Amino acid sequence: MRQLLLAFAATLAISLPAQAEDVTVAVTAIVEHPALDAARDGVKEALEAAGYKEGENLKFIYESAQGNPATAAQIARQFVGEGPSVIVPISTPSAQAVVSATKDIPVVFTAVSDPLGAQLVTDMDKPGGNVTGLSDLSPVAEHLALIKEILPNAKTIGFLYNSGEANSVSLLAVLKAEAEKAGLTVVESAATKSAEVQGAARALVGRADAIYVPTDNTIISALEGAVAVAEEAKLPLFTADTDSVSRGAVAALGFNYKDVGKQTGEIVVRILKGENPGDIAVKVAAGTDLVVNKGAAAKMGVTLPEALVGRATRVIE
């Protein structure tokens, strides 16, 4: 009988899922806006799906730098001092701050367009050290094709960006290369802080046939200022961030950032279960959504082709 009981206990132990150990995951973003907030929430959802639940066996810390790089560096140092299991910086500036602050604590960055250009890793396939993550490199050629589909006579694209954000500088280089192939010219207008966004947008009036906003946290955090200029000037505004379409952009082809967060969270789980971050290849996020805004298009003087509306993932009236 005793042997039967021991055998039953052993079988029960094997069949029951292992309880996830208590962990701390510290998340930070350069600023709060819908895409980055969705990425943060996606990370938490992936952790919960893997058995890490806040208030039970997970301490989930979140801090926003409110658009200030100096604050991002301060948060990074604070997190390192607290010694969490993993740090998840969202956006290029936050990732640069965290990677500079620690060589020991595992770091899983996300929403970073160019991890190599931002000097977060030196090899995407074998990052080494304590850092890995997920890139959200925009499909820029497809963005230009989208603009041309809506504005077939467009010749000049106005690029609205923060010249101090490494992510956007990298995207500008990609945009210029792709624009040349498409027979388009790029005109730049920079804003280094959110208060400058409306003025930078206004500087493109009369110089561009459309405004293109990349996944630039400074511009997106103050997008309404650029939208107001675009509506007044009948200058169609497009973004790489799908969450910005409901805020007044004409259209966007980009990632669902909740899914980006989930993909990031899955990497975090691998590390929590014992994998070395330096052995995990940096991936480019999977999936793109097409979101269009009929009302915004009308306010900016354009009509969306029915074929485009028909294949959109989401249509905002």
Side-chain angles (χ1 to χ4, degrees), residues 192-258:
T192 58
K193 53 188 177 183
S194 58
E196 298 174 357
V197 170
Q198 191 165 39
R202 195 169 285 117
L204 291 170
V205 175
R207 301 171 60 215
D209 299 314
I211 296 176
Y212 172 65
V213 176
T215 50
D216 183 302
N217 298 297
T218 301
I219 308 302
I220 290 174
S221 67
L223 187 71
E224 284 74 13
V227 167
V229 171
E231 289 178 354
E232 182 183 354
K234 295 291 187 286
L235 180 60
L237 184 147
F238 300 83
T239 77
D241 168 39
T242 54
D243 288 309
S244 294
V245 180
S246 62
R247 297 167 63 197
V250 170
L253 180 68
F255 300 106
N256 178 316
Y257 275 86
K258 176 69 76 68

Side-chain angles (χ1 to χ4, degrees), residues 93-118:
S94 289
Q96 289 174 317
V98 171
V99 169
S100 295
T102 180
K103 302 300 179 189
D104 303 312
I105 299 171
V107 176
V108 181
F109 60 77
T110 192
V112 172
S113 292
D114 185 4
L116 295 174

Side-chain angles (χ1 to χ4, degrees), residues 28-41:
T28 181
I30 187 63
V31 72
E32 290 175 290
H33 65 63
L36 302 191
D37 295 348
R40 173 200 63 206
D41 295 344

Side-chain angles (χ1 to χ4, degrees), residues 25-87:
V25 175
V27 181
T28 181
I30 187 63
V31 72
E32 290 175 290
H33 65 63
L36 302 191
D37 295 348
R40 173 200 63 206
D41 295 344
V43 170
K44 186 184 285 189
E45 282 191 21
L47 289 168
E48 185 169 333
Y52 297 97
K53 298 184 180 180
E54 192 172 16
E56 295 181 14
N57 57 356
L58 169 66
K59 183 178 181 182
F60 191 90
I61 305 169
Y62 173 73
E63 294 283 352
S64 166
Q66 303 298 328
N68 190 326
T71 304
Q74 182 180 350
I75 291 169
R77 291 192 295 270
Q78 172 193 323
F79 280 177
V80 171
E82 293 172 358
S85 309
V86 180
I87 302 177

